Structure formats: C-alpha cells, structure tokens
Amino acid sequence: MALRIGDTAPDFSIDTTNGPIKLHEWANGSWVFFFSHPADYTPVCTTEMGRTSQLAPEFAQRNVKPLGLSTDTVEQHKGWIQDVNETQNTVLEFPIVADKELKIAQLYDMIHPNESVTATVRSVFIIDPNMKIRLMMTYPMTVGRNFDEILRVIDALQTTDKQEVACPADWRPGNPVIIRPTVSDEDAKKKFPQGWTTLKPYLRITELDK
Ligand code: BEZ
C-alpha cells in the first residue's frame, strides 16, 4: 500500500551508525526528517549528508531529528562519514540506517525501479511528533535536494499546526499567511484580532507575530 500524507509512519527496528533504533521510540516526541540517498561514497550524497550535518542546530531548534538511509552496511556508512566530515567540513552525528536488505526501503517505497532496483532514490518524509507523515518529496538520483526548502516546509507545517492558517507560494517565516477558507469571518475576528486584508472572500491575508 502506498504511503500517504496523514498516514502513521510505519514503525521499524533496524541497525544504524548510532546503534539499533526503533523509529517511534527513537523519535521520542520529536519531528523526524527521514531521508534516503542512493549510496555511500557517491558525490551528490556526500554533499547532502554534509549539508544535513551542518544544519544540525537548525533542525534541533525546530525539534527535528534527521535520520538518513541507504542500502549499505553500518561499516560502509561509518567509513564514508569520515569522507563527509573531511570534504564537507562538519562532524556528522545523526544516525544513518543500514538497510542492506532493502526492508525499510520497500516499506517506504524508496526503490523506484526505473532509477535502480537495488538503491534508493532521494525520498524525504517529514514525520510529526505523533508519527504522522506530514510531507513526502522524491528526487531522482542525479539531483541533490534543496535544504532551504526542507527547513521552510518544516517551518510552514509547524506554523499551520499552531493557527488555522495556510502558507502561500514561496512563503517564508515572517511573511503574511492566509486565513483558511474554513474559518468564517466571524470566527476570524476572534482568532485574528490583528485583522486581515480580503483580496477575495476565499483569499484573506493576515500577519502573524514575528
Ligand atoms: C550521487 O550521489 O552523486 C549519485 C548517486 C547515484 C547516482 C547518481 C549520482
């Protein structure tokens, strides 16, 4: 069965570079940025792992734990991490799942046979503290992900969890937001005392505290 937004992220137990983990227990109330990459000792993946490690303070500030995965072994991951640290000027500390038998890759549909039958594509799952899948993205093997977008979408999800708003195209933290069409003007007066601008009855823009 394909995974969908809102599904509970399938739990699993597996070995990682930081020892065995059980996903739901390991998350322990945090959000999870769960992402696969095609293989250790490959160039684009090296930059992605480096970027994730460099952004550790940004993920921590948002209560997000990164978790990588590829279909390599713990030993291979550990050897490669030294290259990541050396070339990307970082100290990688987050765990990387060793999914040599493709168990998790299959569970999360990370194998796209038109790319490879043994290696994972660049999948992203943003999982909330209730272990619900909140966002999925899939990139091909030859294109590295945009980590600004990953942080942006986490900020947007956390913002829309706090208030009945939606984030417009290219929204960034601090930008105006949209009052959800499901909120009546009468309710909006209570929920958004700062007021709003109505461009269309379904398109009401408001500012949140910065
Ligand atoms: C890379 O990470 O550079 C890569 C991995 C698999 C296919 C193409 C590129």
Side-chain angles (χ1 to χ4, degrees):
M1 266 268 288
L3 292 175
R4 302 263 162 82
I5 287 176
D7 287 351
T8 298
D11 202 8
F12 55 78
S13 298
I14 192 95
D15 207 8
T16 78
T17 45
N18 295 2
I21 66 162
K22 190 166 188 302
L23 176 68
H24 290 194
E25 273 172 23
W26 173 80
N28 192 26
S30 291
W31 292 67
V32 178
F33 162 46
F34 183 33
F35 66 108
S36 57
H37 64 274
D40 296 348
Y41 298 102
T42 53
V44 177
C45 301
T46 301
T47 62
E48 290 194 318
M49 285 294 157
R51 192 77 189 111
T52 305
S53 175
Q54 290 161 3
L55 289 171
E58 296 290 333
F59 286 116
Q61 198 185 317
R62 293 163 174 81
N63 187 30
V64 179
K65 290 181 173 177
L67 179 64
L69 176 148
S70 73
T71 56
D72 300 287
T73 64
V74 166
E75 289 65 38
Q76 288 165 325
H77 286 336
K78 284 188 173 168
W80 176 50
I81 285 171
Q82 292 177 32
D83 289 1
V84 173
N85 289 344
E86 182 189 321
T87 61
Q88 309 303 304
N89 195 24
T90 191
V91 178
L92 192 157
E93 288 178 339
F94 64 87
I96 306 175
V97 167
D99 192 25
K100 192 72 190 161
E101 287 165 17
L102 318 189
K103 263 173 43 190
I104 316 303
Q106 276 158 1
L107 187 62
Y108 276 77
D109 200 18
M110 292 165 163
I111 302 279
H112 293 210
N114 293 324
E115 289 276 280
S116 166
V117 291
T118 54
T120 44
V121 291
R122 299 182 198 281
S123 299
V124 173
F125 292 87
I126 305 292
I127 303 168
D128 74 14
N130 295 319
M131 294 295 97
K132 298 289 180 203
I133 295 172
R134 300 293 299 278
L135 175 126
M136 296 184 290
M137 288 197 285
T138 311
Y139 274 60
M141 292 191 170
T142 47
V143 181
R145 285 159 280 214
N146 182 327
F147 285 76
D148 287 340
E149 170 61 3
I150 286 161
L151 292 176
R152 186 195 79 93
V153 83
I154 291 167
D155 286 333
L157 286 167
Q158 294 183 346
T159 296
T160 59
D161 278 359
K162 283 194 202 113
Q163 302 205 51
E164 282 179 78
V165 296
C167 296
D170 295 334
W171 177 87
R172 303 204 66 95
N175 289 170
V177 293
I178 291 165
I179 299 174
R180 287 189 212 159
T182 48
V183 180
S184 67
D185 278 352
E186 201 181 323
D187 284 346
K189 278 183 203 149
K190 291 176 223 141
K191 288 175 175 159
F192 305 98
Q194 69 274 35
W196 64 86
T197 304
T198 303
L199 300 178
K200 290 282 175 191
Y202 58 85
L203 182 50
R204 296 165 296 173
I205 310 290
T206 192
E207 301 266 353
L208 298 180
D209 286 345
K210 292 190 179 155

